[in-house]
Amino acid sequence: MTGLTQQLIDLFAALLLLLAFAMLAQRRILSLIHLYTLQGAVLVAAAAVMGYATRQPHLYVSAGVTLALKVFLIPSLLHRVINRLNVRWDLEMLINVPTTLIAGIVLVIFAFYLAAPIAGLAASIARGTLGIALACILLSFMMMITRSKAVPQVIGFLAMENGLFFAATAATYGMPMVVELGIALDVLVGILILGVFMFQIREQFDSLDIRHLEKLKDD
Amino acid sequence: MSTLFFLLGLPLAGTVALALNGHRRFAPELNIAFSSGTFLAAAALTARVVAAGPLYAMEREFHIDALNVFLVALTAFVALTTAIFSRPYMRVKLEHGRMTPKRLRLYHSMYQLFSFTMLLALTTNNMGFLWVAMEAATLATVLLVSVYRTAASLEAAWKYFILCGVGIAQALFGTVLLYMAAERAGAGADGALLWTHLDAIKTSLDPRIMALAFAFLFVGYGTKVGLVPVHNWLPDAHAEGPTPVSAVLSGLLLNVALYAVLRCKVLTDGALGPGLAGQMMMAFGLLSVVVAAFFLSRQRDVKRMFAYSSIEHMGLATFAFGVGGPIATFAGLLHMTVHSLIKSALFFAVGHAAQHAGTQVMSEIRGLVRVNPTVGWGMMLGALAILGMPPFGVFASEFLILTTTMREQPWATPFLLVALGVAFAAVFKRVQPMVFGETELKPLPHPPALIPVFLHLGLGLMLGLYIPPYLEGWYREAARMVAG
């Protein structure tokens, strides 16, 4: 039984890492949102399996909150934003895809190097996946750096939050419930504000290219 | 317990009340009323802590001790004076068309929400809630910075959101690691994130986990302190947002972020022994002081210049805490207090000056003493105070920091002295012609609120000459907690 759950959790962790790489390479905004939704679904599955294996009911609750928020609510908000703004393509990347992916691999190795000494110390059955969680965080961070449009940057931000959520589940079976709810609320409000911002940026600059947002420099 | 309820409940009620009424004529007065109520609650709470020592509330979820009580009082005080300052300031902006009634509603409501999140971050005992409150503060201030909806303010707010969002995400990872260390040290799930509980078991926290946790927490909260090299959001957000927002960003938000770093430092020092945390804080603090001092001299926008001065001073305080020991920590706490008071006073004066001139470009602001002597003198005295001239409080704290540095970390002294000298020359050269010199500026339609400026400067002066015994007692007690 534990062998199977262990393998399932490892499988989900591997899927998360794969999805993080897929997002790094993806040019289309619509596909990015699909990948983000998928990542949320994998997170829900991982939390639910861990809840089942450890008999911790609060993991089911946090899986439920994640399902509502990251699989349904946020993706639908993102879909509405791109429909209203009519931006479906994201052709430009600041660095080309192969270079980005190679840099991504280096980041993954770095993440494993950082996490290796402490991963064994966690009490959780998913301790081996802490390195993957850190890798997902760093990859999303890189995605934010390499994109020049507002929407992919926001998705990168959200993917980073997914990585953090997985880190919390892997290291400690999730944070205390109230804290987790607080974090979920912050993320939700944050995405609403960013959504409003995108409309305002578009109104000001007639474009969602954040390279317009480089006027403020020290001279 | 009940005072704490009012302290947190009033700004929250104010958020709702002003979300409904923030566009009406009496909204600024309502904003002041809620802020005064919060300040009274903070004063009552302070009196209780002074009389009865540290207190807990709500099953230890809230905790007031010597370290946070003076910051609670300071936060509530600066929030009140800034609300008073913002009344005439926003009236002028409304007449210029920069603000509309709808934006004014957002502004007032978010102002109260911002005070709530600051006070929540300070009073909570739960490291998880500390993170939630800091993130909520980012969200509230992002809306405040972008309230004019100009291209530049949108850019500043976007940069602020993304940079601080990424930064604070690192702090969340650090918090996860902290929780992991606590679980391993045998803390139950309920108490594992409570700071007082962590403090009690800090020597048994795993040093390997805590070292990594502190690195993430320091980068995360350090972004909000405005430490170099993750400071880029700070000058933009200060320069492009409304001036009352610049005042509370510099006066409150940076302090609260540094407070979060201090709480983490205490735990890390307990687990690892002094060393890692202090060295990181010294290195990044010193880097911030030096880099900010050189950037100061290149600024043309008055609010940008004082924003860089905030980076410099927060760097100095961080450095002082990094040096450690009771005297340097005492000086760091004093520096946080006087910087917060004097920098917000300066922003009040700068706000009125920029409204007189219709611009924030320093070369176009001239001869303030002629058109409005109080604003002019307020700015001059504020600038002298922030540059560390005696007898103001900044002189006392900088003097303490420097003398301790010479004794404990002599290598850093020349860097600090050069940076302070460069900053002095840069700021003084700019402020002098703004205050004196020929002018064609026009008076303002609404008389500026100058009581806050001189109240803050007066307090800054008092702290330089004489620290009341109970205040000194707090500082000593807080320094003992932080320095171990």
Side-chain angles (χ1 to χ4, degrees):
Chain A
M1 189 61 224
T2 38
L4 181 65
T5 45
Q6 184 78 60
Q7 283 184 11
L8 270 176
I9 290 164
D10 288 349
L11 173 71
F12 289 137
L15 276 177
L16 278 182
L17 189 62
L18 205 62
L19 284 168
F21 265 107
M23 286 168 107
L24 204 56
Q26 185 53 251
R27 285 161 178 271
R28 290 188 61 201
I29 289 184
L30 202 60
S31 312
L32 266 181
I33 298 178
H34 291 325
L35 286 172
Y36 172 73
T37 318
L38 212 57
Q39 209 181 30
V42 174
L43 273 183
V44 172
V49 167
M50 238 180 278
Y52 177 74
T54 59
R55 301 199 162 64
Q56 297 221 22
H58 86 96
L59 277 172
Y60 288 122
V61 182
S62 80
V65 173
T66 314
L67 185 72
L69 203 65
K70 291 177 189 163
V71 182
F72 294 112
L73 195 56
I74 291 178
S76 78
L77 283 172
L78 287 171
H79 278 294
R80 279 182 61 180
V81 166
I82 64 160
N83 280 336
R84 291 262 296 275
L85 291 171
N86 207 14
V87 278
R88 287 173 178 274
W89 291 84
D90 171 35
L91 287 169
E92 285 174 271
M93 294 212 185
L94 299 178
I95 309 171
N96 68 25
V97 176
T99 322
T100 319
L101 289 181
I102 290 171
I105 291 169
V106 176
L107 273 185
V108 174
I109 295 168
F110 177 65
F112 273 76
Y113 168 76
L114 267 187
I118 62 156
L121 302 173
S124 150
I125 53 167
R127 53 178 168 260
T129 53
L130 192 63
I132 295 191
L134 186 57
C136 288
I137 298 170
L138 294 179
L139 286 176
S140 320
F141 183 35
M142 189 160 128
M143 179 178 150
M144 292 178 73
I145 298 172
T146 56
R147 302 305 173 102
S148 63
K149 292 272 164 69
V151 182
Q153 267 202 342
V154 170
I155 297 177
F157 182 71
L158 290 166
M160 183 153 71
E161 205 273 329
N162 274 351
L164 285 165
F165 179 86
F166 188 67
T169 340
T172 59
Y173 298 131
M175 306 286 264
M177 202 60 232
V178 275
V179 175
E180 219 157 73
L181 287 177
I183 295 169
L185 182 71
D186 276 347
V187 170
L188 183 64
V189 175
I191 189 71
L192 288 175
I193 294 175
L194 281 173
V196 174
F197 260 35
M198 282 188 235
F199 287 102
Q200 289 174 0
I201 290 175
R202 162 85 156 233
E203 210 174 292
Q204 277 288 341
F205 301 101
D206 281 330
S207 150
L208 271 178
D209 196 324
I210 46 137
R211 276 174 295 180
H212 291 293
L213 301 184
E214 286 175 6
K215 302 273 171 357
L216 296 177
K217 286 252 169 72
D218 296 305
D219 33 22
Chain B
M1 172 65 211
S2 55
T3 39
L4 187 68
F5 175 77
F6 280 111
L7 182 74
L8 294 173
L10 274 171
L12 203 56
T15 309
V16 178
L18 284 158
L20 301 171
N21 298 306
H23 55 296
R24 294 183 206 280
R25 236 195 118 60
F26 59 82
E29 285 79 5
L30 196 62
N31 194 23
I32 296 174
F34 274 110
S35 298
S36 326
T38 313
F39 176 63
L40 286 180
L45 189 71
T46 311
R48 265 194 62 181
V49 174
V50 168
L55 64 92
Y56 291 102
M58 284 199 43
E59 296 173 0
R60 299 160 63 98
E61 284 293 333
F62 292 94
H63 172 235
I64 320 287
D65 60 15
L67 178 55
N68 57 14
V69 74
F70 87 92
L71 282 170
V72 167
L74 183 68
T75 301
F77 175 71
V78 176
L80 170 62
T81 48
T82 310
I84 296 171
F85 158 71
S86 118
R87 195 176 78 103
Y89 183 85
M90 281 303 170
R91 292 244 154 97
V92 174
K93 288 286 176 193
L94 193 63
E95 280 168 24
H96 286 183
R98 293 293 288 276
M99 290 300 265
T100 59
K102 217 174 131 194
R103 288 178 195 172
L104 217 50
R105 193 167 69 184
L106 179 76
Y107 166 79
H108 282 126
S109 174
M110 285 304 122
Y111 186 84
Q112 288 293 327
L113 187 66
F114 173 69
S115 334
F116 168 73
T117 52
M118 290 288 89
L119 291 167
L120 179 66
L122 287 172
T123 52
T124 184
N125 190 19
N126 188 319
M127 296 301 281
F129 269 122
L130 175 64
W131 186 88
V132 171
M134 288 299 291
E135 173 71 9
T138 312
L139 297 176
T141 39
V142 158
L143 288 173
L144 285 171
V145 167
S146 71
V147 79
Y148 291 153
R149 307 277 159 82
T150 56
S153 73
L154 275 177
E155 175 183 346
W158 183 267
K159 218 187 224 178
Y160 176 37
F161 193 121
I162 294 293
L163 209 69
C164 280
V166 170
I168 205 118
Q170 313 300 318
L172 183 58
F173 190 69
T175 311
V176 168
L177 291 174
L178 188 64
Y179 189 48
M180 181 172 143
E183 270 198 335
R184 200 177 142 72
D190 293 330
L193 272 177
L194 295 187
W195 187 84
T196 43
H197 187 78
L198 290 167
D199 189 44
I201 59 164
K202 63 185 173 189
T203 45
S204 56
L205 296 173
D206 189 283
R208 283 164 294 180
I209 306 180
M210 283 308 289
L212 196 60
F214 183 77
F216 277 98
L217 287 164
F218 183 62
V219 171
Y221 292 130
T223 312
K224 297 217 78 166
V225 181
L227 296 177
V228 175
V230 278
H231 66 287
N232 300 45
W233 64 273
L234 195 146
D236 296 345
H238 277 68
E240 303 307 329
T243 306
V245 177
S246 319
V248 285
L249 279 179
S250 257
L252 306 181
L253 184 81
L254 307 185
N255 269 358
V256 176
L258 189 54
Y259 160 81
V261 173
L262 287 183
R263 288 281 187 202
C264 301
K265 176 182 185 277
V266 173
L267 300 177
T268 314
D269 280 349
L272 283 101
L276 177 89
Q279 280 160 8
M280 279 176 74
M281 290 176 79
M282 272 197 286
F284 286 98
L286 190 62
L287 185 69
S288 306
V289 175
V290 173
V291 171
F294 282 93
F295 269 103
L296 262 176
S297 53
R298 296 171 55 189
Q299 301 309 314
R300 285 183 301 193
D301 181 309
V302 59
K303 279 165 77 181
R304 269 187 104 78
M305 182 176 79
F306 285 119
Y308 272 103
S309 150
S310 292
I311 299 179
E312 184 208 345
H313 286 282
M314 292 322 277
L316 197 59
T318 309
F319 177 81
F321 293 124
V323 172
I327 300 175
T329 311
F330 180 100
L333 293 168
L334 182 64
H335 198 71
M336 276 167 87
T337 316
V338 284
H339 170 253
S340 160
L341 288 170
I342 288 172
K343 188 51 70 60
S344 40
L346 252 175
F347 273 116
F348 300 158
V350 162
H352 289 310
Q355 284 192 333
H356 273 294
T359 174
Q360 288 171 204
V361 180
M362 284 186 277
S363 53
E364 289 171 30
I365 304 175
R366 283 289 177 266
L368 284 169
V369 276
R370 292 180 190 228
V371 54
N372 191 334
T374 34
V375 169
W377 282 111
M379 189 146 144
M380 195 68 211
L381 289 175
L384 287 176
I386 207 72
L387 290 170
M389 291 301 280
F392 286 99
V394 179
F395 172 75
S397 57
E398 283 184 353
F399 183 77
L400 273 177
I401 294 173
L402 274 173
T403 45
T404 323
T405 308
M406 284 177 204
R407 200 167 53 244
E408 312 263 336
Q409 310 282 345
W411 57 273
T413 323
F415 295 103
L416 286 180
L417 283 175
V418 168
L420 290 177
V422 169
F424 188 94
V427 173
F428 196 75
K429 190 185 84 188
R430 298 285 191 178
V431 169
Q432 203 267 346
M434 279 199 284
V435 173
F436 305 105
E438 294 303 314
T439 186
E440 288 156 9
L441 304 182
K442 286 181 287 291
L444 287 173
H446 293 278
L450 289 161
I451 298 170
V453 181
F454 289 97
L455 197 58
H456 282 205
L457 289 177
L459 283 173
L461 183 65
M462 184 197 81
L463 287 174
L465 296 170
Y466 166 73
I467 302 177
Y470 62 91
L471 197 59
E472 195 184 326
W474 275 349
Y475 281 140
R476 279 193 198 289
E477 177 63 20
R480 197 191 52 75
M481 281 177 60
V482 175

